Amino acid sequence: KAGVTQTPRYLIKTRGQQVTLSCSPISGHRSVSWYQQTPGQGLQFLFEYFSETQRNKGNFPGRFSGRQFSNSRSEMNVSTLELGDSALYLCASSLVAMGQGGELFFGEGSRLTVL
Amino acid sequence: GQQVMQIPQYQHVQEGEDFTTYCNSSTTLSNIQWYKQRPGGHPVFLIQLVKSGEVKKQKRLTFQFGEAKKNSSLHITATQTTDVGTYFCAGAGGSQGNLIFGKGTKLSVKP
């Protein structure tokens, strides 16, 4: 079966712009979670959506937002981009809500560079 | 809030040596998962531990969950160059039922 698909894979933006990243989970998976990965910082949790509802949110400013559609596809948006937002953004899907014992399946990530 | 600390941050070993990474949680976990991320890749699920004192093996990899369900370890026997990557633990627990990732241990193996 198809894995988790993230688009775009690479993008370059300038400070002040906004960006939207997309994540299509594995068919049947209702949970989509998003992470920011930078060197030395590991996987920093952004938020989780389950059945179109934001279930958990990490410690990121309000410039980071997301949503989930009825088909479980999810988008995350970052407004007013800053240089420090340059990172690999990973999404992961799971059959069950995060922390309930389900395995996370990660996408390849979207690498964002902010100039 | 809940924190998961993972050590060491980096480990360099000679091929054939053993390797261990440790995770410690500030709170009792309901379960803990381990993931491996190869260089340039994305994290891939390795295993989940649920029971107190649980030990699971996958070939040269041994995973343990502490009796108090607050710590865990991953031990690799006789490392190979294919073991290179970053190993993350992720602990589930807390009132929000979140999954908290450790910062990972980056393993390099010298042939």
Side-chain angles (χ1 to χ4, degrees), chain B:
Chain B
Q2 181 189 357
Q3 289 187 330
V4 174
M5 308 299 292
Q6 189 172 355
I7 57 169
Q9 190 174 0
Y10 302 96
Q11 185 79 57
H12 309 283
V13 300
Q14 192 78 33
E15 189 172 22
E17 292 182 337
D18 292 357
F19 158 77
T20 305
T21 173
Y22 301 90
C23 268
N24 287 289
S25 170
S26 56
T27 59
T28 302
L29 302 170
S30 56
N31 63 74
I32 192 160
Q33 298 179 346
W34 286 90
Y35 292 80
K36 176 184 178 182
Q37 184 175 22
R38 294 181 188 273
H42 57 278
V44 174
F45 176 82
L46 292 176
I47 208 160
Q48 176 173 272
L49 304 171
V50 179
K51 300 176 184 175
S52 168
E54 189 169 15
V55 178
K56 287 188 176 181
K57 293 191 175 185
Q58 290 180 349
K59 297 182 181 178
R60 296 178 294 104
L61 278 61
T62 301
F63 304 83
Q64 292 188 323
F65 201 9
E67 294 290 342
K69 299 183 73 174
K70 296 178 76 172
N71 57 74
S72 181
S73 65
L74 157 59
H75 179 84
I76 301 179
T77 304
T79 54
Q80 300 175 358
T81 54
T82 53
D83 295 325
V84 163
T86 301
Y87 294 84
F88 294 96
C89 64
S95 57
Q96 293 183 311
N98 214 339
L99 188 67
I100 307 295
F101 278 82
K103 290 198 171 185
T105 296
K106 187 174 183 178
L107 172 66
S108 62
V109 179
K110 187 175 181 182

Side-chain angles (χ1 to χ4, degrees), chain A residues 62-101:
Chain A
R63 299 185 297 109
F64 292 79
S65 63
R67 59 178 175 168
Q68 186 179 34
F69 302 95
S70 57
N71 62 358
S72 292
R73 188 178 72 85
S74 178
E75 288 181 347
M76 68 162 281
N77 183 275
V78 188
S79 62
T80 320
L81 284 166
E82 301 176 359
L83 294 178
D85 296 333
S86 295
L88 178 67
Y89 290 88
L90 291 159
C91 81
S93 77
S94 178
L95 267 174
V96 299
M98 244 177 74
Q100 301 303 308

